């Protein structure tokens, strides 16, 4: 896929396809269109009560797009319970190019100027494709996800794609839907325009939870 670039990648996302590799050090990339797709509902997103209490305390400084390359690298790194990842060098480069074009974003959790958690994904129309997350402190990736959902709600997004269903995502109300239903929702979301920057960067955890509650 040496001639494959960021525009090709955006066209794949518009067709419901995303890239993966078998391992961090594997140079090959393949494209995936799962038979069943995990999605997180923006209307009806569930924040467990314990996590909601933590979010309100604002234990981290939550920022957007201040350390995108660092977030991708952290997501690509091996960690406890995750000996290898699917983010290889070509995929990392493509996401960096999408970020430069305004089609990829990161949400970061900072503590004492240290990046302790976050996530990143791709945006197209009113669809956000969540790619990966990482955590080096308790609840950091979960808090990043809650802030992401509040931001997507504020920006008028219609679809949050989680790719594959997991028990971790199930606690937030994630659903697994057939490919045809996902493609239908995707095409609808692509007809609208989401604004990732609609939410004030200084929003508190309480403010994010209020947005989520109003959308439920």
């Amino acid at each position: 896929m040496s001639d494959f670039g960021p525009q090709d990648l955006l066209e794949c996302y518009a067709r419901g396809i995303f890239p993966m590799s078998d391992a961090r050090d594997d140079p090959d990339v393949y494209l995936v269109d799962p038979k069943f797709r995990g999605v997180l509902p923006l209307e009806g997103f569930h924040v467990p009560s314990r996590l909601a209490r933590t979010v309100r305390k604002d234990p981290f400084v939550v920022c957007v797009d201040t350390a995108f390359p660092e977030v991708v690298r952290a997501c690509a790194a091996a960690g406890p319970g995750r000996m290898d990842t699917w983010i290889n060098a070509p995929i990392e480069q493509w996401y960096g190019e999408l970020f430069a074009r305004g089609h990829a974003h990161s949400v970061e959790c900072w503590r004492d100027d240290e990046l302790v958690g976050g996530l990143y994904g791709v945006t197209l129309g009113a669809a956000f494709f969540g790619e990966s997350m990482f955590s080096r402190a308790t609840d950091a990736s979960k808090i990043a996800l809650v802030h992401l959902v509040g931001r997507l709600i504020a920006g008028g997004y219609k679809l949050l794609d989680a790719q594959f269903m997991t028990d971790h995502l199930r606690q937030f109300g994630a659903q697994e839907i057939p490919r045809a239903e996902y493609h239908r929702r995707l095409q609808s979301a692509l007809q609208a325009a989401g604004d990732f920057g609609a939410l004030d960067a200084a929003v508190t955890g309480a403010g994010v939870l209020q947005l989520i509650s109003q959308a439920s």
Side-chain angles (χ1 to χ4, degrees):
M1 301 180 70
S2 59
D3 58 346
F4 191 90
Q7 186 59 41
D8 300 297
L9 187 54
L10 284 179
E11 291 173 3
C12 285
Y13 277 105
R15 301 197 306 271
I17 303 170
F18 57 89
M20 293 190 74
S21 178
D22 283 330
R24 173 67 170 161
D25 295 329
D26 188 339
D28 295 329
V29 177
Y30 57 93
L31 299 173
V32 183
D33 183 11
K35 184 176 180 180
F36 292 94
R37 198 71 162 243
V39 296
L40 281 160
L42 295 175
E43 296 181 2
F45 181 81
H46 174 67
V47 183
S49 57
R50 184 199 64 80
L51 179 60
R53 290 193 295 270
T54 304
V55 170
R56 288 190 184 93
K57 294 177 183 177
D58 292 317
F60 308 114
V61 176
V62 180
C63 300
V64 171
D65 291 346
T66 65
F68 183 87
E70 291 86 348
V71 170
V72 177
R73 284 197 295 271
C75 289
R82 184 177 65 177
M83 298 306 295
D84 210 342
T85 69
W86 55 269
I87 306 169
N88 66 1
I91 290 175
E92 184 175 344
Q93 178 181 339
W94 295 336
Y95 286 133
E97 292 170 346
L98 289 186
F99 175 71
R101 293 182 175 208
H103 280 289
H105 298 283
S106 60
V107 179
E108 309 127 17
C109 289
W110 298 83
R111 184 174 61 192
D112 299 329
D113 296 325
E114 179 186 0
L115 181 64
V116 295
L119 57 82
Y120 77 97
V122 173
T123 182
L124 194 60
F128 189 90
F129 309 89
E131 290 301 320
S132 189
M133 59 177 62
F134 80 99
S135 187
R136 296 171 181 159
T138 302
D139 291 332
S141 62
K142 295 177 183 178
I143 290 173
L145 177 59
V146 172
H147 274 257
L148 170 69
V149 170
R151 180 166 294 277
L152 297 182
I153 290 170
Y157 281 77
K158 308 297 183 185
L159 176 67
L160 173 50
D161 174 16
Q163 298 182 344
F164 298 109
M165 187 68 170
T166 67
D167 289 337
H168 174 72
L169 294 176
R170 200 182 304 274
Q171 67 184 303
F172 299 104
Q175 306 164 348
E176 189 172 58
I177 59 175
R179 179 189 293 144
E181 172 63 14
Y182 171 76
H183 284 181
R184 186 192 67 78
R185 295 189 192 186
L186 172 60
Q187 292 309 309
S188 177
L190 293 178
Q191 302 307 310
D195 181 2
F196 196 81
L199 189 63
D200 191 320
V203 65
T204 64
V208 167
L209 291 172
Q210 183 176 10
L211 283 167
I212 292 172
S213 176
Q214 291 172 347
S216 298

